[in-house]
Amino acid sequence: MNRLLSFLFHQGVLDEQFLQLQQLQDETSPNFVYEVVNIYFHESEKLLRNLRALLMEREFMDYKKLGIDLNQFMGSSSSIGAKRVTNVCVAFRVATEQNNRAGCFRALEMLEHEYCYLKNKLHELFQIEQQRALAAGVRYPVQNE
Amino acid sequence: MNFLIGGRYVGGSFDVESLVENLLGQLAGHQAILVNVYDVTNSSDPLIMYGNQYEEGDVSLVHESKLDFGDPYRKHQMICRYHQKAPPNWTALSTAILFFVILLLIGYILYGAGNHIVKVEDDFHEMQELKVRAEAADVAKSQFLATVSHEIRTPMNGILGMLGLLLRTELNSTQRDYAQTAQACGKALIALINEVLDRAKIEAGKLELEAVPFDLRSILDDVLSLFSEKSRHKGLELAVFVSDKVPDIVMGDPGRFRQIVTNLVGNSVKFTERGHIFVKVHLSENRKPVTNGKHETYRNGGSEEVVHASGGYNLKTLSGYEAADERNNWDNFNHLIADEEFFCDASTKKVASNEFYEQVTLMVCVEDTGIGIPFSAQDRIFMPFVQADSSTSRNYGGTGIGLSISKCLVELMGGQINFISRPQVGSTFSFTADFGIFKKNPITEVKKVNYEDLPSSFRGLKAVVVDGKPVRAAVTRYHLKRLGIQVKVANAINKAVSLCGKNGASSTGLFQPDIIFVEKDSWVCGEDGIFSVRQLDWKQNGHIFKMPQMILLATNISNDEFDKAKSAGFSDTVIMKPLRASMVGACLQQVLGTGKKRQLGKEMPNGSTSVRSLLFGKKILVVDDNVVNRRVAAGALKNFGADVKCADSGKAALEMLQFPHKFDACFMDIQMPEMDGFEATRRIREMERTANEETNSECGERKSEFHLPILAMTADVIHATYEECLKCGMDGYVSKPFEEENLYQAVAKFFQTKPTSVDS
């Protein structure tokens, strides 16, 4: 899977956990990675919206709730191997432990940025995969599954 | 004449001249003195009064004295002089001269000494200055080396990292081989950098050897694989043989040992254009010089007679070319192996006597048939930065450091390195080294050891090796023995056929090979042999024997030869030399078809088969509020063959775990809202307690207790403390996302390995 994937590894966007995910994909669950990543995107968007809403409150004091959502986000990111996102989450958590609002803001922005980047790249990856699958299908039209 | 009468004055006449002369005669000693008396009243006109006016004498030395006769009007003067000129006083002169000369000499010496001192002082100052500069240069050099090596290492690590990632993907055996070789070369490059740094460390006296257990044979295999491409390219035979008496695991410094062997083999590969490079390892006590050159019949199924051709080609060495050290040829090798076989048969493989000693001394020989080392250079080669000839670097490359480092390392290992070399024939380098014995206690983790995972599926197979060169055949046999295959060697194909096709009365005389390995050289020479194998009547004594697989062994093979081989009945896979047990195993797997390709790709270093064997068929509950984590954890566990159900909160988990339930284990996330992992576990344990009490009160004899193994899943292994987990009743924790080793260790505590049908 090509230059894009190794590029992402090199940049530290993804790590070995992503590879492990790919290895879990086989005949019994042919779209495993795609499904998991989609679920991840779905959940993450919800979480990110929550986080932003919390921080934007005028009288924001509830760092604990922030921490809970953040933990969820961190957990799922590390499960799929999104290393850079996880790292930003760690920094975010430090800021919440110190009750540092400005720090939290900065971390949230960086998180959103990293998340967008990841999402774009993974979409690209899936597109390439799809194209390859199509091309393979064309070359061997007679194939018994 | 004088008169004295009555005490009054009398007068007498004297001859003054004779009187004076007598007096002078008495006084003057040896020299005659002339006396003149003058009347000098008139100073310009002295009147002579006494003495010979005309005798000059020696006027250079004149003594004047005034005379006073009592006459106030007249002055008188007496002048005395030598009659003869005084001869020059030689003694005084010579003394003076000598003295003068001596003074001169002394002066000269002092001057010389002074000069010398000044010169020495000047030199001293100059040397000091130079010394300072040299030290500065040395420091600069070390800094430069450190910087440069760091700069080189960084992108190299990038390359190695990418290769590592590549190796984790699905590759066929050729691709895997290429990628592994590329990785090994990359590591070798880094090793080269380290070698240069080592040189600096040795100079500073800061080199230390470590002592860890390692597997000698796998290190040698690695080294050989490094050079396989190059030697194949040059058409050289590369082989390694380790005697059976050498223990599997020894204690020592594997990196340094590898360094030494790499250096020697690398030199051999560099300087050899034809023939072979043969690495032999055995215990150093075994080296007995063979006094009689008689060729014993080898317990091999009859003695084969090898035709001695005149000229160097058909000697009994690995490739047939003559080697510098005759001790490695077949006769002695034969004896060596024969001795070992005898011992192996007589006692168990573990040589009991070794347990008494702390150390074992091994001797390693690297024999090549290269250009050799000229006699004039032979005493210099271990010096750093010296190569045999000034043109060597230009022709062959290299820096000349390797041998000197190897020598230092060998000496640090308590051994010695030396060599025998004949120009145009070849060189044999050998060194001894001390290693410790590895005492295997069941407690120490075997994982720490560099244990090579050889596939064990070939144990008990039988094979025949057809090779005209006995040394080479012995090497092949050694590699196959490592895989557990029993081997018989035959000289030519027809002999192999007769070996298998014996019409023995008892079945013990029969040898039914599953595989026949044929060395390409032997096949090319005896082409008709193949047909005799095919035509062999495989039905004997009422049994139908399976036709054995025929596999070709070759150093290099062209497409034509490959096609010919395939049409003659050889299998598709040709095993390329140099032989490595792992490579042979992989090829055999392909040929014999054991193990699905899918599993080949999925085999991870510790074997996913081990976790699979623990979890196969078990019912597992995964509890996590995060849906992504649930999917991933479930997917991973399903991959290991487990049957997985998910729960998204502590409450749901409690419901699913109501008795009776069929779960074998539970993975519980700790950080969950509402009810976290600890609380959920506590409740589960309560439920279990009540259930146990109920069942035990009903039938008092039943002893079984419900206890579901619960493992915590945590992303932060640091934050989740083990005590916390234990307090609420958990049995352990695993990291999230799953790490295989971690998972295995945690799960192994309560599951037994089950033999699964998928493993083979």
Side-chain angles (χ1 to χ4, degrees), chain A residues 58-75:
Chain A
R58 223 175 292 161
E59 288 160 10
F60 167 67
M61 290 305 257
D62 196 350
Y63 285 99
K64 260 228 178 92
K65 188 148 177 1
L66 204 61
I68 294 176
D69 279 341
L70 186 57
N71 263 338
Q72 284 246 337
F73 192 41
M74 195 160 76

Side-chain angles (χ1 to χ4, degrees), chain B residues 400-414:
Chain B
I401 313 180
L403 270 179
S404 72
I405 295 186
S406 299
K407 180 160 187 261
C408 288
L409 289 175
V410 164
E411 279 165 8
L412 274 176
M413 290 188 186

